């Protein structure tokens, strides 16, 4: 397989990627085709596809914030089972994030990720691809070492409708296994930065941020 970065909607593999996104995720999680043009040109946003014989069989998006010393995995897609796509994406992403941290001269604290709660997301088919089943994905993240943040989590819809999406949990993969909590101020800074691209914030999201501002730390719970 080939690890190929997409930096333009003119990339010949972008259409296949966007179709894969629409197959796997519900509409509120997928940015419209044309709206990808600007973020793909952002050097801080890393979108890669796994190519097998020039076909897009998987994809991942991530970013690293050197000022906060945290990374974010936006998504990981396994398009077909039993090809080792998940491991391929994980190892290549880790190598690249290590490179980004070294270039910035920082030592990462950990990495955020959102994951579906299978009991609140039962209506989604996730493309019928078994590795993308929310129960499987949640267990995989748990095995990797992700922990769930102790908060009632919502995020703004990527459809730019201003609606709150509440079927996911916010998780964190600490570099140190002994870390049981992270500063609430870090969570606020990360979320306000990450969702700055969405101008229509639902009231539930604003309330969540306000509650976080009143806390000193957020516990990391078992996923």
């Amino acid at each position: 397989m080939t690890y190929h970065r997409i930096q333009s909607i003119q990339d010949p593999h972008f259409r296949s990627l966007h179709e894969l996104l629409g197959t796997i995720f519900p509409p509120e999680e997928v940015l419209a085709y044309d709206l990808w043009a600007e973020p793909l040109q952002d050097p801080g946003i890393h979108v890669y596809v796994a190519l097998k014989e020039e076909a897009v069989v998987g994809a991942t998006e991530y970013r690293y914030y050197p000022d906060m010393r945290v990374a974010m995995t936006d998504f990981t897609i396994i398009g077909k089972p039993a090809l080792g796509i998940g491991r391929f994406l994980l190892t290549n992403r880790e190598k690249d994030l290590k490179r980004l941290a070294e270039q910035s001269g920082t030592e990462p604290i950990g990495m955020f990720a959102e994951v579906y709660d299978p009991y609140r997301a039962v209506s989604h088919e996730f493309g019928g691809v078994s590795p993308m089943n929310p129960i499987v994905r949640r267990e995989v993240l748990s095995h990797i070492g992700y922990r769930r943040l102790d908060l009632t989590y919502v995020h703004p819809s990527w459809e730019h409708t201003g609606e709150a999406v509440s079927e996911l949990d916010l998780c964190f993969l600490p570099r140190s296994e002994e870390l049981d909590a992270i500063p609430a101020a870090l969570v606020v800074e990360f979320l306000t930065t990450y969702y700055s691209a969405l101008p229509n914030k639902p009231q539930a999201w604003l309330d969540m941020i306000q509650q976080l501002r009143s806390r000193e730390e957020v516990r990391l719970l078992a996923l």
Side-chain angles (χ1 to χ4, degrees), residues 119-158:
Y119 302 102
R120 286 182 285 157
V122 293
S123 62
H124 300 315
E125 295 297 326
F126 296 92
V129 181
S130 56
M132 296 304 295
N133 181 285
I135 295 177
V136 175
R137 294 173 65 202
R138 197 176 182 93
E139 194 60 32
V140 168
L141 288 189
S142 178
H143 274 71
I144 292 173
Y146 275 92
R147 309 275 294 279
R148 177 174 62 86
L149 270 71
D150 185 17
L151 77 161
T152 302
Y153 183 64
V154 298
H155 78 73
S157 169
W158 286 99

Side-chain angles (χ1 to χ4, degrees), residues 63 65 67-68 188-197 205:
R63 57 195 82 191
Y65 300 93
D67 54 335
M68 290 182 271
V188 170
E189 184 179 4
F190 165 71
L191 289 175
T192 53
T193 301
Y194 184 71
Y195 283 107
S196 62
W205 186 88

Side-chain angles (χ1 to χ4, degrees), residues 34-200:
D34 292 341
L35 294 181
W36 276 92
E38 185 174 345
L40 284 176
Q41 295 176 14
D42 185 336
I45 296 177
H46 301 260
V47 179
Y48 281 85
V49 293
L51 299 176
K52 184 174 178 60
E53 298 176 353
E54 291 302 301
V56 174
V57 295
T60 187
E61 178 184 344
Y62 50 92
R63 57 195 82 191
Y64 181 65
Y65 300 93
D67 54 335
M68 290 182 271
R69 296 168 53 207
V70 298
M72 169 65 174
T73 300
D74 301 84
F75 61 76
T76 300
I77 297 177
I78 300 170
K80 293 182 179 181
L83 291 178
I85 298 168
R87 181 64 182 173
F88 176 80
L89 294 173
L90 173 65
T91 55
N92 280 280
R93 182 174 63 228
E94 286 183 337
K95 290 177 184 177
D96 200 24
L97 284 170
K98 181 180 180 181
R99 176 185 63 84
L100 293 171
E102 289 176 348
Q103 284 183 347
S104 65
T106 58
E107 185 69 28
I109 301 169
M111 179 160 53
F112 287 100
E114 296 171 334
V115 63
Y116 277 94
D117 179 342
Y119 302 102
R120 286 182 285 157
V122 293
S123 62
H124 300 315
E125 295 297 326
F126 296 92
V129 181
S130 56
M132 296 304 295
N133 181 285
I135 295 177
V136 175
R137 294 173 65 202
R138 197 176 182 93
E139 194 60 32
V140 168
L141 288 189
S142 178
H143 274 71
I144 292 173
Y146 275 92
R147 309 275 294 279
R148 177 174 62 86
L149 270 71
D150 185 17
L151 77 161
T152 302
Y153 183 64
V154 298
H155 78 73
S157 169
W158 286 99
E159 290 185 291
H160 287 262
T161 59
E163 295 182 7
V165 179
S166 60
E167 297 178 338
L168 298 97
D169 289 317
L170 183 63
C171 303
F172 190 72
L173 174 61
R175 287 292 295 268
S176 170
E177 292 186 4
E178 298 178 357
L179 191 67
D180 291 324
I182 57 176
L186 173 63
V187 182
V188 170
E189 184 179 4
F190 165 71
L191 289 175
T192 53
T193 301
Y194 184 71
Y195 283 107
S196 62
L198 297 179
N200 299 322

Side-chain angles (χ1 to χ4, degrees), residues 2-28:
T2 304
Y3 196 58
H4 171 71
R5 185 175 184 181
I6 293 182
Q7 294 181 278
S8 168
I9 62 173
Q10 304 303 322
D11 187 296
H13 297 295
F14 177 71
R15 183 168 296 278
S16 294
L17 166 62
H18 198 264
E19 290 174 354
L20 185 60
L21 285 165
T23 299
I24 297 296
F25 296 124
E28 65 269 17

